[in-house]
Amino acid sequence: VSGEVPISARKKLDKTGKDLQIWHEFIDELSDAVRQLLSKDSRDQKIRQAVREAVEVIASAFTSYRERNNIVIEIEIPSTITTPPMFLAQLYSIITNLLTNAMKWVMFQKDRRIRFEGINIENGIEIKVLDSGPGVSKEIREKVFEPFVSYSTPNLELGTGTGLGLTIVRNFVTDANGTVEFVDPPEGWGCCCVIQFEDE
Ligand SMILES: Nc1ncnc2c1ncn2[C@@H]1O[C@H](COP(=O)(O)OP(=O)(O)O)[C@@H](O)[C@H]1O
Ligand SMILES: [Mg+2]
Protein backbone atom coordinates (compact mmCIF):
# COMPACT_ATOMS: atom_id res chain seq x y z
CA VAL A 1 0.00 0.00 0.00
CA SER A 2 2.77 2.40 0.91
CA GLY A 3 3.79 2.41 -2.76
CA GLU A 4 0.49 4.11 -3.61
CA VAL A 5 0.85 6.87 -1.03
CA PRO A 6 2.33 9.99 -2.61
CA ILE A 7 5.76 10.83 -1.28
CA SER A 8 4.65 14.15 0.25
CA ALA A 9 1.91 12.41 2.23
CA ARG A 10 4.33 9.73 3.36
CA LYS A 11 6.71 12.40 4.67
CA LYS A 12 3.89 13.99 6.59
CA LEU A 13 2.93 10.63 8.07
CA ASP A 14 6.54 10.02 9.09
CA LYS A 15 6.66 13.38 10.79
CA THR A 16 3.37 12.75 12.60
CA GLY A 17 4.68 9.40 13.77
CA LYS A 18 7.82 11.03 15.13
CA ASP A 19 5.82 13.78 16.83
CA LEU A 20 3.63 11.17 18.50
CA GLN A 21 6.69 9.29 19.67
CA ILE A 22 8.09 12.47 21.22
CA TRP A 23 4.81 13.21 23.00
CA HIS A 24 4.65 9.67 24.22
CA GLU A 25 8.11 9.93 25.80
CA PHE A 26 7.27 13.28 27.32
CA ILE A 27 4.03 12.07 28.88
CA ASP A 28 5.74 8.93 30.19
CA GLU A 29 8.39 10.95 31.97
CA LEU A 30 5.89 13.42 33.35
CA SER A 31 3.55 10.77 34.66
CA ASP A 32 6.44 9.22 36.60
CA ALA A 33 7.05 12.54 38.28
CA VAL A 34 3.36 13.13 38.92
CA ARG A 35 3.04 9.68 40.46
CA GLN A 36 5.85 10.51 42.89
CA LEU A 37 4.34 13.90 43.56
CA LEU A 38 0.95 12.45 44.40
CA SER A 39 2.22 9.44 46.30
CA LYS A 40 1.09 9.29 49.89
CA ASP A 41 4.70 9.36 51.12
CA SER A 42 5.27 12.80 49.70
CA ARG A 43 2.56 14.23 51.97
CA ASP A 44 3.10 11.94 54.90
CA GLN A 45 5.14 14.03 57.24
CA LYS A 46 7.17 17.19 57.38
CA ILE A 47 10.80 16.10 57.46
CA ARG A 48 14.17 17.42 56.33
CA GLN A 49 14.38 16.75 52.60
CA ALA A 50 17.53 16.08 50.58
CA VAL A 51 17.67 18.86 48.00
CA ARG A 52 19.96 17.20 45.46
CA GLU A 53 17.84 14.08 45.23
CA ALA A 54 14.66 16.11 44.72
CA VAL A 55 16.24 18.25 41.99
CA GLU A 56 17.41 15.08 40.23
CA VAL A 57 13.93 13.54 40.34
CA ILE A 58 12.29 16.64 38.88
CA ALA A 59 15.04 17.31 36.32
CA SER A 60 14.76 13.75 35.03
CA ALA A 61 11.05 14.30 34.39
CA PHE A 62 12.07 16.73 31.65
CA THR A 63 14.98 14.85 30.08
CA SER A 64 13.43 14.44 26.64
CA TYR A 65 12.16 18.01 26.63
CA ARG A 66 15.63 19.31 27.50
CA GLU A 67 17.33 17.10 24.93
CA ARG A 68 14.99 18.19 22.16
CA ASN A 69 15.51 21.84 23.03
CA ASN A 70 19.25 21.75 23.75
CA ILE A 71 18.86 22.84 27.34
CA VAL A 72 21.82 21.93 29.52
CA ILE A 73 21.27 21.53 33.24
CA GLU A 74 23.91 21.40 35.96
CA ILE A 75 23.24 20.32 39.53
CA GLU A 76 25.90 21.50 41.95
CA ILE A 77 24.47 20.46 45.30
CA PRO A 78 26.27 18.35 47.91
CA SER A 79 24.05 15.45 48.95
CA THR A 80 24.28 16.60 52.59
CA ILE A 81 22.20 19.75 51.93
CA THR A 82 18.74 19.35 53.47
CA THR A 83 15.74 21.64 53.92
CA PRO A 84 14.03 22.40 57.21
CA PRO A 85 11.07 20.08 57.87
CA MET A 86 8.60 20.23 54.96
CA PHE A 87 6.53 17.87 52.84
CA LEU A 88 8.40 16.31 49.92
CA ALA A 89 5.50 17.41 47.71
CA GLN A 90 6.23 21.03 48.68
CA LEU A 91 9.91 20.75 47.72
CA TYR A 92 8.97 19.03 44.44
CA SER A 93 6.52 21.80 43.68
CA ILE A 94 9.10 24.53 44.41
CA ILE A 95 11.67 22.88 42.15
CA THR A 96 9.16 22.09 39.39
CA ASN A 97 7.96 25.68 39.22
CA LEU A 98 11.45 27.18 39.21
CA LEU A 99 12.74 24.66 36.68
CA THR A 100 9.81 25.05 34.26
CA ASN A 101 10.14 28.83 34.49
CA ALA A 102 13.85 28.60 33.71
CA MET A 103 13.20 26.19 30.83
CA LYS A 104 10.54 28.50 29.42
CA TRP A 105 12.74 31.57 29.47
CA VAL A 106 16.00 30.08 28.19
CA MET A 107 14.09 29.17 25.02
CA PHE A 108 14.45 32.81 24.01
CA GLN A 109 18.23 32.39 23.83
CA LYS A 110 20.56 30.28 21.76
CA ASP A 111 22.62 29.57 24.84
CA ARG A 112 20.33 27.51 27.09
CA ARG A 113 21.86 26.72 30.48
CA ILE A 114 20.30 26.12 33.87
CA ARG A 115 22.19 25.53 37.07
CA PHE A 116 21.03 24.50 40.54
CA GLU A 117 23.43 25.34 43.34
CA GLY A 118 23.17 24.44 46.98
CA ILE A 119 25.46 25.53 49.81
CA ASN A 120 25.49 25.69 53.57
CA ILE A 121 25.26 29.19 54.97
CA GLU A 122 25.53 30.33 58.55
CA ASN A 123 22.65 28.64 60.32
CA GLY A 124 21.04 27.12 57.26
CA ILE A 125 21.16 26.49 53.53
CA GLU A 126 20.94 28.46 50.32
CA ILE A 127 19.63 27.18 47.00
CA LYS A 128 20.22 29.14 43.79
CA VAL A 129 18.56 28.58 40.45
CA LEU A 130 20.49 30.25 37.66
CA ASP A 131 19.52 30.41 34.00
CA SER A 132 20.89 31.98 30.84
CA GLY A 133 17.54 33.55 29.89
CA PRO A 134 16.60 37.25 29.91
CA GLY A 135 16.06 37.37 33.70
CA VAL A 136 13.57 39.37 35.75
CA SER A 137 14.06 43.14 35.65
CA LYS A 138 14.48 44.96 38.96
CA GLU A 139 11.12 46.78 38.68
CA ILE A 140 9.11 43.55 38.70
CA ARG A 141 11.18 41.35 41.03
CA GLU A 142 8.59 41.49 43.81
CA LYS A 143 5.54 41.83 41.61
CA VAL A 144 6.15 38.45 39.91
CA PHE A 145 5.40 36.68 43.20
CA GLU A 146 1.86 38.07 43.25
CA PRO A 147 -0.91 35.72 42.13
CA PHE A 148 -1.89 35.85 38.43
CA VAL A 149 1.03 38.09 37.47
CA SER A 150 2.44 36.55 34.30
CA TYR A 151 4.42 37.91 31.41
CA SER A 152 4.92 34.59 29.71
CA THR A 153 3.57 33.51 26.36
CA PRO A 154 1.85 30.12 26.13
CA ASN A 155 4.23 27.17 25.87
CA LEU A 156 2.49 24.09 24.51
CA GLU A 157 4.43 21.65 26.65
CA LEU A 158 5.22 23.63 29.79
CA GLY A 159 1.85 25.26 30.32
CA THR A 160 0.00 28.42 29.48
CA GLY A 161 1.24 30.62 32.30
CA THR A 162 -1.24 31.10 35.09
CA GLY A 163 0.98 33.43 37.07
CA LEU A 164 0.59 31.18 40.10
CA GLY A 165 3.92 29.33 40.00
CA LEU A 166 5.98 31.82 41.97
CA THR A 167 3.11 32.49 44.37
CA ILE A 168 3.11 28.79 45.25
CA VAL A 169 6.90 28.78 45.54
CA ARG A 170 6.85 31.68 47.98
CA ASN A 171 4.01 30.15 50.02
CA PHE A 172 5.84 26.86 50.48
CA VAL A 173 9.21 28.51 51.16
CA THR A 174 7.64 30.87 53.72
CA ASP A 175 5.80 27.96 55.28
CA ALA A 176 9.24 26.52 56.13
CA ASN A 177 10.47 29.90 57.44
CA GLY A 178 12.51 30.61 54.33
CA THR A 179 12.87 33.48 51.88
CA VAL A 180 12.86 33.52 48.08
CA GLU A 181 13.77 36.38 45.77
CA PHE A 182 15.34 37.28 42.45
CA VAL A 183 18.73 38.97 42.71
CA ASP A 184 21.25 40.36 40.24
CA PRO A 185 22.68 37.32 38.44
CA PRO A 186 26.41 36.62 38.60
CA GLU A 187 28.62 37.07 35.51
CA GLY A 188 27.61 34.71 32.72
CA TRP A 189 23.98 34.28 33.83
CA GLY A 190 20.73 36.09 33.01
CA CYS A 191 18.58 35.14 35.96
CA CYS A 192 19.21 34.22 39.57
CA CYS A 193 16.58 33.08 42.05
CA VAL A 194 17.76 32.57 45.64
CA ILE A 195 16.09 30.58 48.38
CA GLN A 196 17.38 30.68 51.95
CA PHE A 197 16.30 28.51 54.85
CA GLU A 198 17.58 29.27 58.30
CA ASP A 199 17.17 27.05 61.32
CA GLU A 200 15.81 28.63 64.44
N1 LIG B 1 13.45 32.19 35.11
C1 LIG B 1 12.77 33.27 34.75
N2 LIG B 1 13.27 34.13 33.81
C2 LIG B 1 12.58 35.24 33.45
N3 LIG B 1 11.39 35.60 33.97
C3 LIG B 1 10.85 34.79 34.90
C4 LIG B 1 11.50 33.61 35.34
N4 LIG B 1 10.73 33.04 36.30
C5 LIG B 1 9.64 33.81 36.43
N5 LIG B 1 9.71 34.88 35.61
C6 LIG B 1 8.72 35.96 35.49
O1 LIG B 1 7.79 35.85 36.56
C7 LIG B 1 6.46 35.73 36.03
C8 LIG B 1 5.60 34.91 36.98
O2 LIG B 1 6.06 33.58 37.06
P1 LIG B 1 5.06 32.45 37.50
O3 LIG B 1 4.40 32.87 38.76
O4 LIG B 1 5.78 31.14 37.51
O5 LIG B 1 3.98 32.49 36.37
P2 LIG B 1 3.97 31.91 34.87
O6 LIG B 1 5.17 31.03 34.71
O7 LIG B 1 2.69 31.16 34.82
O8 LIG B 1 4.00 33.11 33.97
C9 LIG B 1 6.67 35.11 34.66
O9 LIG B 1 5.58 35.36 33.80
C10 LIG B 1 7.93 35.83 34.21
O10 LIG B 1 7.62 37.14 33.76
MG1 LIG C 1 5.69 29.52 36.10
Side-chain angles (χ1 to χ4, degrees):
V1 179
S2 73
E4 293 159 23
V5 178
I7 192 113
S8 64
R10 228 183 304 152
K11 275 194 181 138
K12 266 189 198 148
L13 271 175
D14 271 1
K15 165 111 179 39
T16 309
K18 273 190 201 117
D19 284 351
L20 276 174
Q21 175 65 31
I22 285 171
W23 275 98
H24 196 248
E25 263 175 42
F26 188 58
I27 288 165
D28 258 9
E29 285 177 350
L30 269 187
S31 56
D32 267 358
V34 169
R35 207 171 301 125
Q36 297 220 37
L37 198 62
L38 298 181
S39 73
K40 189 169 162 297
D41 283 359
S42 71
R43 285 165 295 135
D44 232 12
Q45 43 178 328
K46 287 193 173 180
I47 54 171
R48 292 185 180 279
Q49 307 288 351
V51 177
R52 186 189 175 90
E53 208 180 306
V55 172
E56 281 170 351
V57 166
I58 304 302
S60 70
F62 296 97
T63 306
S64 76
Y65 181 86
R66 284 189 280 109
E67 282 171 358
R68 267 179 289 123
N69 293 294
N70 297 315
I71 300 173
V72 175
I73 185 164
E74 285 176 347
I75 305 173
E76 201 62 51
I77 310 175
S79 47
T80 50
I81 303 275
T82 55
T83 67
M86 63 164 68
F87 295 121
L88 182 57
Q90 289 179 308
L91 182 59
Y92 279 169
S93 171
I94 291 167
I95 296 165
T96 305
N97 279 305
L98 296 180
L99 178 61
T100 51
N101 280 349
M103 290 196 304
K104 248 190 242 177
W105 291 92
V106 294
M107 290 308 288
F108 292 93
Q109 317 288 130
K110 251 196 166 150
D111 168 34
R112 299 170 181 170
R113 290 171 291 120
I114 300 173
R115 180 180 168 97
F116 281 82
E117 285 178 5
I119 56 165
N120 285 301
I121 53 169
E122 196 178 299
N123 235 0
I125 64 158
E126 181 178 88
I127 304 162
K128 275 189 190 160
V129 186
L130 302 156
D131 72 61
S132 60
V136 184
S137 67
K138 275 208 172 69
E139 302 75 58
I140 60 166
R141 278 186 192 167
E142 263 312 297
K143 197 177 162 64
V144 289
F145 288 96
E146 290 170 20
F148 308 113
V149 171
S150 173
Y151 301 92
S152 59
T153 46
N155 177 308
L156 194 58
E157 290 174 76
L158 298 180
T160 331
T162 55
L164 286 173
L166 289 176
T167 309
I168 292 167
V169 168
R170 175 153 292 166
N171 277 343
F172 288 164
V173 169
T174 309
D175 194 41
N177 294 317
T179 59
V180 54
E181 59 180 347
F182 287 97
V183 300
D184 290 335
E187 183 78 40
W189 296 94
C191 191
C192 180
C193 185
V194 183
I195 296 176
Q196 291 188 341
F197 290 116
E198 281 180 37
D199 281 316
E200 300 72 86

